[in-house]
Structure formats: structure tokens, C-alpha cells
Amino acid sequence: EWHSSGDGKYLEGGIEKGAMLVDQRFLPRIVEGEVRCMMIGDNLVELIHKKPKAGGLSATLQSGAIYTKYPPDAPEFENLVANFKLDLPHLMEALGISGQPLPPLWTADYIFGEKDEDGKDTFHVGEFNCACVGITQQLHQAKLVGETAFRFCFPEVDADVHNDVNAEERSSKRQKSVNGQDQ
């Protein structure tokens, strides 16, 4: 038996009360998987094709899906990346939070759509995620994640200081910044 802390009235009260429902059409090419854009801030660092095991629809590792990594400039996903980069500057505004930075670590998952008139794949966004994104499969990106988080937390620290000084100096600058002292 299923239990919920809510009452199941997802649309009651309208948008003013936070009620909403995402209505997305079924995309038959979901059986071909999803393409994840792995983002660190506004940097596209990796594409991951998450293909369900034969006969499945789920693209999770636990379901047996196969994950294939591609660089951001992979020709297979040129169309997706080009359109994603065009949309990226407008994303926070579209979500009603303009003026806010993109999350330090987040993903955008796309489902294969129809082929265009040139026979190239089109894509439909399936989800954006910044709540439970990990880098267990991208440990080589840990330094960039840390640097991006540092810039978000300490935007007043000069980028040259952030990138070019040794760890001891960086720590000293960070402490002064936290204490509100001049750098």
C-alpha cells in the first residue's frame, strides 16, 4: 500500500499555491536512452549517453543501463550542444530566477526526438538536476568543481589569485575575505 504525506491534490490552489504538473508527451526514442549534459557552472564538461538495457526504458546504472562518455565537442551530439549553448544564457530567467548564477554542479538530460530534415537527431529536455548530482564517475573533474564552488562563495577574490597562487596564499586570501579584511 502506498502512503504519502501529501493529499494527492497536485493542482489544487493553482500556481499561486505552488500547484503544478509537468505534462510531457511520450517520446518513443526514449528506448535509445538519454544524453546527459554534465555541467560545472556554465561549463559543459562531458556528455553521457545513458542507454537502457535491451527492452527497458530506465537509464539508471542500477537498472543495467550502459553509460558512454563523450567530450563536449563530440560530432554525434553537435546539434544538441549547439542548441543547448544558445539556450544556456536564458535558463535562469526562464526559471524565474534571473540574476542568480547557475549551480556549481548540475545536469541537463535530453531525450532523443524526431530526426530533422537533414537526418540529424533533435532533442527534448527531460530534466534539469542540481539537487543530487554526484561526480563519482567524473572524479577527474573534482578540482574544477572545487574552483567553481570557490568562485561562487568568494566572488570578490580576484580570479588571478584564485588560479595562479599556491594553496597557502589562496587559503590566506580566503581567510581574509571571510574576515572582511583587505586583500
Side-chain angles (χ1 to χ4, degrees):
E1 183 174 299
W2 179 74
H3 295 281
S4 172
S5 59
D7 57 14
K9 298 179 181 177
Y10 303 108
L11 302 177
E12 192 170 285
I15 195 86
E16 299 80 27
K17 298 282 185 181
M20 65 181 83
L21 181 70
V22 175
D23 183 14
Q24 183 175 9
R25 70 182 172 101
F26 178 73
L27 297 166
R29 292 185 66 198
I30 188 67
V31 298
E32 297 175 47
E34 302 174 29
V35 179
R36 171 166 284 172
C37 296
M38 182 74 168
M39 301 292 297
I40 299 176
D42 60 359
N43 296 308
L44 174 60
V45 296
E46 189 171 68
L47 298 166
I48 306 161
H49 183 192
K50 306 178 344 172
K51 187 171 183 180
K53 69 179 181 181
L57 294 177
S58 177
T60 64
L61 281 174
Q62 294 83 0
S63 71
I66 304 295
Y67 282 30
T68 306
K69 296 178 184 181
Y70 294 88
D73 61 353
E76 300 92 324
F77 304 111
E78 178 182 28
N79 205 21
L80 168 64
V81 171
N83 286 313
F84 181 65
K85 286 182 176 182
L86 287 174
D87 291 339
L88 194 56
H90 310 287
L91 186 58
M92 298 307 268
E93 181 182 343
L95 295 171
I97 49 177
S98 21
Q100 297 298 314
L102 291 163
L105 183 61
W106 62 285
T107 63
D109 290 353
Y110 287 84
I111 301 169
F112 289 89
E114 305 76 17
K115 299 273 186 178
D116 68 14
E117 58 277 352
D118 297 323
K120 293 184 178 183
D121 289 316
T122 63
F123 297 88
H124 299 273
V125 70
E127 78 174 283
F128 296 109
N129 190 346
C130 64
C132 59
V133 177
I135 59 168
T136 58
Q137 304 296 313
Q138 296 85 14
L139 292 178
H140 61 284
Q141 299 289 357
K143 182 179 179 197
L144 182 57
V145 172
E147 290 170 348
T148 302
F150 180 87
R151 280 195 314 273
F152 281 27
C153 294
F154 302 101
E156 68 282 356
V157 176
D158 185 352
D160 290 335
V161 168
H162 173 285
N163 290 323
D164 296 335
V165 299
N166 66 39
E168 194 172 305
E169 281 186 68
R170 210 170 26 243
S171 177
S172 174
K173 294 265 184 189
R174 184 173 43 243
Q175 189 58 46
K176 286 179 182 179
S177 175
V178 168
N179 294 336
Q181 299 171 357
D182 288 335
Q183 299 164 28

